[in-house]
Amino acid sequence: MAAAAPRLHRHDIAAALGLALLLGLAWTLRGWSDLSALRLPDTDDVMRLQQIRDWIAGQAFGDLAQHRLGPAPGLEMHWSRLPDLVPAALITGMTPLLGRHGAEVMAVVAWPVMLFAGTLLLTAAIARALGASGALAATLGALAYPATSLFMPGRIDHHSLQLLLLLVVVRSLVGRGTARAGLAAGIATAASFAIGLETAPLLALAVAAATLLWVRDEDGAHARLCGYAVGLVLSLAGAAALLRTRGWTYPACDGFTENFWRAGQFAAVALLALAVFGFGLHSRRARLLAAVAAGAAASGGALLLAPDCLHPYGHVDPLLARFWLSHVEEAQPLFAAPTAHAIGYAGLMLAGIAASLFAWRRERGIGWAVLLAFQLGALALTLAQLRGAYAGALLAAPALAAFIANARARGVLPLAGAWFASTGLLYPIAAQALAPQAAAPSDTGCDPSAALARLASLKPGTLLSPIDLGARAIAATPHRAVAGPYHRNTAGNLAMYRFFLGGAAQARATAQVLRADYVLLCPRDLSEAGPPAPDSLLAALRQGTPPHWLEPIRVPGGALLYRIATSEAQDAPR
């Protein structure tokens, strides 16, 4: 590890910016037909865009509810306003020049590319701090599947911003310890917590790593610990004051809620107390005992204040957990995923762990040990949920850059092998060749886009549709949707399943309670619930025999769209 924190090198900057712009342009051209129509890659992206639109249109800064989702009066989202700031500024600033639609297209393209450039710069900085090539690490980071999928144009959800903040924390810990580095880590940690809790296990690991470096009395470790503690305490306090939402008191620990904040701030104060008392602790044994005591106090106190944080999704109904949450790809455990997915997601991460272990054994540098700890933490998280592989893939790049440099001195074949092992995009390709997946049944020719366009022209009302279609309908039409892919929407999602999976009489009663006006689905939707009962509404719709109270609205694209007749029309003789 370098003795001093290196500055960003011009080659690193050129590589990071050049790769981000080049790949961003290529991805934009490839996906332009969808991007130009604001058909974004993921349901969370379209919901984020709608959240920004609502804010620009006058919804309060602290009101994160989606008032057109779920049963009235709407759903309190578990999101934060923080990821909305830059896209909203881009849209507002560019609307006079490009018009609203053009400004939105520009924002959903530019924001992921900006985050990608920052992420590659940080990847290069981490590599350079460890003595590896920053430009090479940035190149490998640009190919680091599956992390790269979060930076595609249109991906404006918060996961890519969280990855960038995680790299700020890692960079602060692998370099020379300073109060400034610790302060940056504390601010980045608090900002990530304010956005969401997906990377919380890795951020908890960061606090543990900073503490252990202090216990070992590494150069500058106490100054860094002090900066980390001060930055975390003050930033959490500032976030609670500035970013709290109207759902602040929601009784869960599934986002930046009061429950989580109490637990996080208690742990941060415990870290600050350790940093303060650390001025008087001069032996490694005393520091270790103090660290253990502070860790026990932080963990115990946090759990007493917010026991829900052990089960952030504990309020999800068992039926929804089985029908919906267990089918969300990134929420699946590694060994429950199809073999091809498991190899594609975890392959690069495992190669990076091996490379870090090799570098640490060769150099015995504490920086490599810290990076390896984060990689192992990402692997542990991936074993529980595949989303951990995003961080694991990016963290692999610095170690693999060092591995390639070492292989270069060994000849052409070792160098070719090192490049093959280090190129993340090759893992899903190899996985498909080694463990080909049977093609999943699909709706031949079913594209709901035309149905959504037709729906947008109809009188605003309430839509009953499968979970993912509901999120897209909110962004593409003026209607409210009963179901959407969010764990807090228990009532709406259960009502949707009751509507489609029950008999026609039960479905009619559910629609009346919800005051629903329209029904939209593709014929093979809701396959996660298994074959429908013969007398269910879903079976009737698939067979093309809807009940008399559903009036078909013909649309191209294969989707099924119906208007729910009024009570008078339903009861009239036919």
Side-chain angles (χ1 to χ4, degrees), residues 51-200:
Q51 178 170 296
I52 293 168
R53 287 170 172 167
D54 292 342
W55 179 30
I56 293 173
Q59 189 164 321
F61 181 86
D63 183 4
L64 271 292
Q66 179 43 251
H67 296 289
R68 292 195 288 125
L69 177 61
L75 183 70
E76 287 289 349
M77 302 296 286
H78 64 289
W79 289 352
S80 162
R81 188 62 80 187
L82 191 57
D84 298 347
L85 299 181
V86 173
L90 290 173
I91 293 170
T92 303
M94 297 305 295
T95 294
L97 295 175
L98 303 176
R100 171 54 69 87
H101 181 82
E104 288 182 350
V105 172
M106 183 276 297
V108 302
V109 170
W111 179 227
V113 173
M114 292 164 64
L115 289 171
F116 195 33
T119 298
L120 296 183
L121 278 171
L122 284 164
T123 302
I126 291 168
R128 193 165 288 277
L130 294 168
S133 166
L136 180 54
T139 303
L140 296 177
L143 304 174
Y145 182 86
T148 48
S149 65
L150 297 181
F151 298 94
M152 298 282 185
R155 293 306 316 265
I156 59 170
D157 191 25
H158 57 265
H159 300 302
S160 51
L161 179 55
Q162 285 181 303
L163 276 183
L164 183 147
L165 292 169
L166 176 65
L167 292 185
V168 171
V169 175
V170 175
R171 173 63 187 87
S172 300
L173 293 175
V174 298
R176 180 176 177 272
T178 64
R180 189 179 188 180
L183 188 65
I187 294 171
T189 298
S192 187
F193 283 151
I195 292 168
L197 304 186
E198 288 85 354
T199 57

Side-chain angles (χ1 to χ4, degrees), residues 343-489:
I343 295 172
Y345 267 73
L348 183 65
M349 174 171 49
L350 293 174
I353 289 173
S356 286
L357 183 61
F358 176 76
W360 175 73
R361 292 188 64 181
R362 184 181 69 246
E363 300 181 17
R364 295 294 174 176
I366 193 64
W368 287 113
V370 171
L371 180 64
L372 180 60
F374 276 102
Q375 291 175 282
L376 293 173
L379 175 60
L381 186 56
T382 305
L383 293 174
Q385 290 192 337
L386 283 177
R387 71 174 85 243
Y390 299 134
L394 274 179
L395 292 170
L400 290 169
F403 181 60
I404 288 174
N406 184 267
R408 189 176 289 121
R410 298 174 181 268
V412 174
L413 286 179
L415 179 61
W419 268 104
F420 185 87
S422 303
T423 305
L425 292 177
L426 296 179
Y427 284 91
I429 298 172
Q432 189 59 35
L434 294 171
Q437 288 184 267
S442 61
D443 285 307
T444 304
C446 184
D447 180 2
S449 300
L452 289 173
R454 178 72 177 93
L455 193 61
S457 69
L458 301 177
K459 179 182 177 182
T462 297
L463 174 69
L464 274 161
S465 67
I467 285 175
D468 285 350
L469 271 178
R472 296 190 180 278
I474 286 175
T477 77
H479 305 286
R480 71 175 301 113
V482 172
Y486 303 101
H487 64 273
R488 288 186 180 183
N489 192 34

Side-chain angles (χ1 to χ4, degrees), residues 187-216:
I187 294 171
T189 298
S192 187
F193 283 151
I195 292 168
L197 304 186
E198 288 85 354
T199 57
L202 296 177
L203 296 173
L205 176 63
V207 174
T211 303
L212 287 175
L213 291 172
W214 168 71
V215 169
R216 286 174 52 90

Side-chain angles (χ1 to χ4, degrees), residues 159-372:
H159 300 302
S160 51
L161 179 55
Q162 285 181 303
L163 276 183
L164 183 147
L165 292 169
L166 176 65
L167 292 185
V168 171
V169 175
V170 175
R171 173 63 187 87
S172 300
L173 293 175
V174 298
R176 180 176 177 272
T178 64
R180 189 179 188 180
L183 188 65
I187 294 171
T189 298
S192 187
F193 283 151
I195 292 168
L197 304 186
E198 288 85 354
T199 57
L202 296 177
L203 296 173
L205 176 63
V207 174
T211 303
L212 287 175
L213 291 172
W214 168 71
V215 169
R216 286 174 52 90
D217 199 22
E218 296 292 332
D219 186 24
H222 187 235
R224 177 168 48 206
L225 187 69
C226 291
Y228 203 146
V230 170
L232 188 57
V233 168
L234 294 181
S235 297
L236 282 174
L242 299 174
L243 296 174
R244 70 168 64 194
T245 71
R246 292 183 182 178
W248 178 249
T249 57
Y250 186 85
C253 192
D254 58 353
F256 194 56
T257 61
E258 185 178 32
N259 268 2
F260 173 78
W261 180 82
R262 283 199 306 260
Q265 190 65 290
F266 186 91
V269 169
L271 183 68
L272 181 61
L274 180 66
V276 171
F277 286 110
F279 284 101
L281 301 175
H282 303 295
S283 72
R284 180 175 295 185
R285 177 184 174 83
R287 289 192 297 271
L288 178 60
L289 291 174
V292 169
S299 303
L303 290 178
L304 284 174
L305 287 169
D308 284 347
C309 290
L310 282 177
H311 306 285
Y313 297 111
H315 296 288
V316 175
D317 183 273
L319 184 143
L320 294 179
R322 180 161 56 94
F323 282 176
W324 167 62
L325 195 58
S326 65
H327 293 277
V328 177
E329 183 175 281
E330 65 180 19
Q332 293 181 346
L334 178 64
F335 291 116
T339 303
H341 283 182
I343 295 172
Y345 267 73
L348 183 65
M349 174 171 49
L350 293 174
I353 289 173
S356 286
L357 183 61
F358 176 76
W360 175 73
R361 292 188 64 181
R362 184 181 69 246
E363 300 181 17
R364 295 294 174 176
I366 193 64
W368 287 113
V370 171
L371 180 64
L372 180 60

